Amino acid sequence: MRKTIGIPRGMYYHDYHPMWTKYFNNLDGKVVFSPKTNKDILNLGVSKCVDEACLPVKIFHGHVEYLKDKVDYIFIPKFISICKREYCCPKLLGLPDMVKHSIEELPIVIEPEINLRKVNSLRNAVINTGRIFTRNHFKIANAYMESMEFQKYYKSLLSLGIIPTEDHQNTHTKDIKILVLGHSYNVYDEFINMNIFNKLIENHVNIITADMVSADDINYYSNMLPKRIFWTDGKKIIGAAYSLLEKNSIDGIIYLSAFGCGLDSVLVDLIQRKATSKGVPFLLMTMDEQTGEAGFNTRLEAFLDMMEWRNKNEDYISSIW
Ligand code: SF4
């Protein structure tokens, strides 16, 4: 019988799920995802996770709690470094340990360490994970190679603005271009982002995400800072924002942040200053488990009204919002 692997629909799921799914399927495993984030998942997470954690980490706990009785394994990679000379957030680094500490009666946790600062880390992660399912190294290598092809295709869709969590396409019928920024698990989770993409699309806004900015631009413009950003997500967010601001390619920025996020406290300040210096409106939406959709909608609508008014009446309104 095929072994089932539970993949929680949170954190880096939003970046890597096609690759993981293909890899396990190729090894004759059966992938089971938790449902899209909803209020019940959030409540499960809040009940299991430590209070100090940020919203996406709490939600991730909820996804694991949902899956734990339904699968043979749970997949929670330990992301330490996914780019040379860079790091992931410490909460990602400690995620498997946090979950194991907080949630009882888990099935076997598959927790490969991804640390590109170490030689052969990725190779070891691929081989050691694959050996849970087969001793055939050729099959494991093949599963990985094919999964990488899936991943490249998924990334190419994101770079074209095809937003993975939405029913609607990113159709642009107005001149307003808004960059929606934040960590992928905040930007692409419809519950955390309060369905912002649909709301923007309904308002005919042209949406841009950091995934639509080229890696070259991200590297080049993130290097404008006097000190190198050593968080991979941080570099992507800063590089995308600076690139589009320097090229005058956007009319506004909406930053989706999780309350208590240490990285965002730095990134938001840097981007807000840059946006202000360029006269580009900036809206910060900070989410936690108490955030209500009504308040979110009111702020978003006011921001969009202001953007439209501003577009018609030139640069009259302050860019600080
Ligand atoms: S980067 Fe921020 S939101 Fe993401 S896991 Fe770390 S603290 Fe949480």
Side-chain angles (χ1 to χ4, degrees), residues 53-281:
C54 56
L55 180 66
V57 166
K58 285 180 182 165
I59 284 177
F60 188 86
H61 279 66
H63 284 286
V64 174
E65 177 68 21
Y66 173 91
L67 280 171
K68 72 174 190 186
D69 305 322
K70 301 173 179 68
V71 291
D72 300 310
Y73 302 95
I74 296 250
F75 183 60
I76 312 178
K78 183 194 277 255
F79 282 105
I80 297 175
S81 169
I82 51 174
C83 279
K84 292 227 161 78
R85 299 175 61 226
E86 291 172 12
Y87 281 107
C88 299
C89 167
K91 285 182 183 141
L92 277 159
L93 193 153
L95 195 59
D97 296 318
M98 260 179 106
V99 168
K100 285 191 293 184
H101 178 77
S102 307
I103 300 182
E104 290 165 2
E105 296 172 9
L106 285 170
I108 297 167
V109 178
I110 303 176
E111 45 179 324
E113 180 181 293
I114 314 293
N115 183 358
L116 295 196
R117 297 180 76 96
K118 278 193 196 162
V119 182
N120 287 337
S121 164
L122 184 59
R123 180 182 170 280
N124 292 342
V126 169
I127 299 281
N128 293 339
T129 302
R131 286 181 65 153
I132 298 170
F133 302 90
T134 175
R135 294 275 146 186
N136 183 339
H137 280 210
F138 179 75
K139 188 171 180 176
I140 297 171
N142 211 32
Y144 174 68
M145 299 305 280
E146 280 190 20
S147 70
M148 286 297 282
E149 290 305 313
F150 258 56
Q151 184 64 17
K152 275 189 210 152
Y153 178 63
Y154 176 64
K155 286 283 170 189
S156 71
L157 293 181
L158 291 181
S159 71
L160 293 172
I162 297 171
I163 297 158
T165 55
E166 296 306 310
D167 301 330
H168 296 89
Q169 290 304 310
N170 186 6
T171 50
H172 349 113
T173 50
K174 264 189 200 169
D175 287 338
I176 297 175
K177 295 193 204 92
I178 293 184
L179 171 63
V180 180
L181 267 186
H183 300 276
S184 59
Y185 35 85
N186 294 333
V187 168
Y188 293 131
D189 186 310
E190 287 165 72
F191 184 82
I192 296 180
N193 75 22
M194 305 259 171
N195 233 330
I196 192 169
F197 288 118
N198 272 357
K199 288 170 185 162
L200 292 176
I201 288 165
E202 278 161 22
N203 279 281
H204 311 292
V205 167
N206 188 349
I207 302 166
I208 302 177
T209 63
D211 284 304
M212 295 164 69
V213 179
S214 73
D216 285 348
D217 275 0
I218 284 174
N219 282 330
Y220 179 81
Y221 286 98
S222 62
N223 281 333
M224 288 176 79
L225 288 173
K227 195 159 181 247
R228 199 171 66 83
I229 296 251
F230 55 83
W231 302 304
T232 301
D233 274 9
K235 185 181 83 177
K236 180 175 166 185
I237 291 169
I238 286 276
Y242 276 34
S243 150
L244 296 167
L245 285 168
E246 284 295 331
K247 293 177 183 174
N248 296 321
S249 325
I250 44 171
D251 302 300
I253 297 178
I254 299 175
Y255 197 113
L256 301 172
S257 176
F259 179 75
C261 172
L263 270 67
D264 279 354
S265 64
V266 177
L267 302 177
V268 165
D269 188 54
L270 288 168
I271 293 168
Q272 189 161 13
R273 282 169 196 241
K274 185 80 171 177
T276 304
S277 75
K278 294 281 177 187
V280 171

